[in-house]
Amino acid sequence: MKEIVLDTETTGLSVKDGHRIVEIGCIELDDLIPTKNVFHCYLNPERKVSDSALKVHGYTDQFLADKQKFKDIAEDFLNFIDGKKIIIHNAEFDISHLNNELSLINKKKITKDFVIDTLEIARNKFPGSGISLDALCKRFKIDNSKRDKHTALIDCELLSKVYINL
């Protein structure tokens, strides 16, 4: 069975405040084994990156200025995830941002029917314990030393290993 491990980086936390996606990363798994099939792009969010988000991922307004807009990659992205389960850590966050982007260009939203939230799985498996991606990497002895800043692809690589352990 094919699944997609997905992560986004954004200009800030809240869609309600107009925050947008600046990076999408996806890694395909086939029976829990990563394939070479990857989707990755940086995006021009058409707004400023908040100071707090800049500290998390390090993508400046200048770096993002010449990148494609979400509407330019939407079809390729939707084709990549089509018909596959989507694995996300804290799915509420990523799905709300993705669905906001999709609604801005009048595309059908992603339903939660196809989403597996590893945060919920971890919360149920390890009540009262740390369930951040870093905490789960530590629990499962997954090397996350490459993770200086949050980047969608590195986070997907780590999450794919965490997901297998969960």
Side-chain angles (χ1 to χ4, degrees):
M1 180 178 79
K2 292 195 177 171
E3 299 168 303
I4 301 294
V5 179
L6 183 147
D7 188 50
T8 64
E9 299 301 332
T10 64
T11 60
L13 294 178
S14 177
V15 170
K16 290 181 182 102
D17 293 334
H19 287 290
R20 305 279 305 271
I21 295 175
V22 298
E23 182 185 23
I24 300 173
C26 300
I27 296 174
E28 184 183 68
L29 303 179
D30 191 359
D31 290 324
L32 301 179
I33 298 167
T35 69
K36 301 278 188 241
N37 208 1
V38 171
F39 180 90
H40 179 252
C41 61
Y42 298 105
L43 298 169
N44 177 342
E46 303 180 82
R47 66 156 290 155
K48 295 244 179 257
V49 174
S50 70
D51 290 339
S52 56
L54 183 62
K55 288 176 188 162
V56 171
H57 54 60
Y59 303 139
T60 64
D61 296 326
Q62 185 177 356
F63 171 75
L64 298 168
D66 65 347
K67 305 303 183 254
Q68 291 180 299
K69 294 176 176 72
F70 183 83
K71 66 181 179 184
D72 301 323
I73 60 90
E75 284 303 318
D76 290 339
F77 169 70
L78 291 170
N79 288 336
F80 189 83
I81 66 169
D82 187 43
K84 299 170 188 142
K85 285 279 186 192
I86 305 169
I87 315 304
I88 305 174
H89 196 71
N90 192 8
E92 186 76 30
F93 178 84
D94 296 275
I95 293 299
S96 70
H97 278 86
L98 287 165
N99 281 340
N100 178 59
E101 297 289 349
L102 290 166
S103 69
L104 290 172
I105 58 170
N106 298 312
K107 294 282 185 189
K108 193 170 130 188
K109 292 183 177 182
I110 298 168
T111 66
K112 294 194 177 169
D113 304 343
F114 293 99
V115 176
I116 297 170
D117 190 344
T118 54
L119 189 68
E120 287 180 17
I121 295 169
R123 189 176 286 132
N124 292 331
K125 271 190 116 159
F126 311 113
S129 296
I131 52 173
S132 69
L133 188 55
D134 284 333
L136 292 170
C137 285
K138 188 173 184 178
R139 173 182 286 276
F140 296 126
K141 296 175 178 50
I142 296 166
D143 178 11
N144 66 346
S145 59
K146 289 194 301 188
R147 191 178 193 233
D148 178 41
K149 297 269 189 195
H150 289 238
T151 66
L153 270 185
I154 289 175
D155 287 2
C156 283
E157 288 173 20
L158 294 173
L159 183 56
S160 67
K161 293 171 185 172
V162 164
Y163 176 60
I164 290 164
N165 280 280
L166 283 173

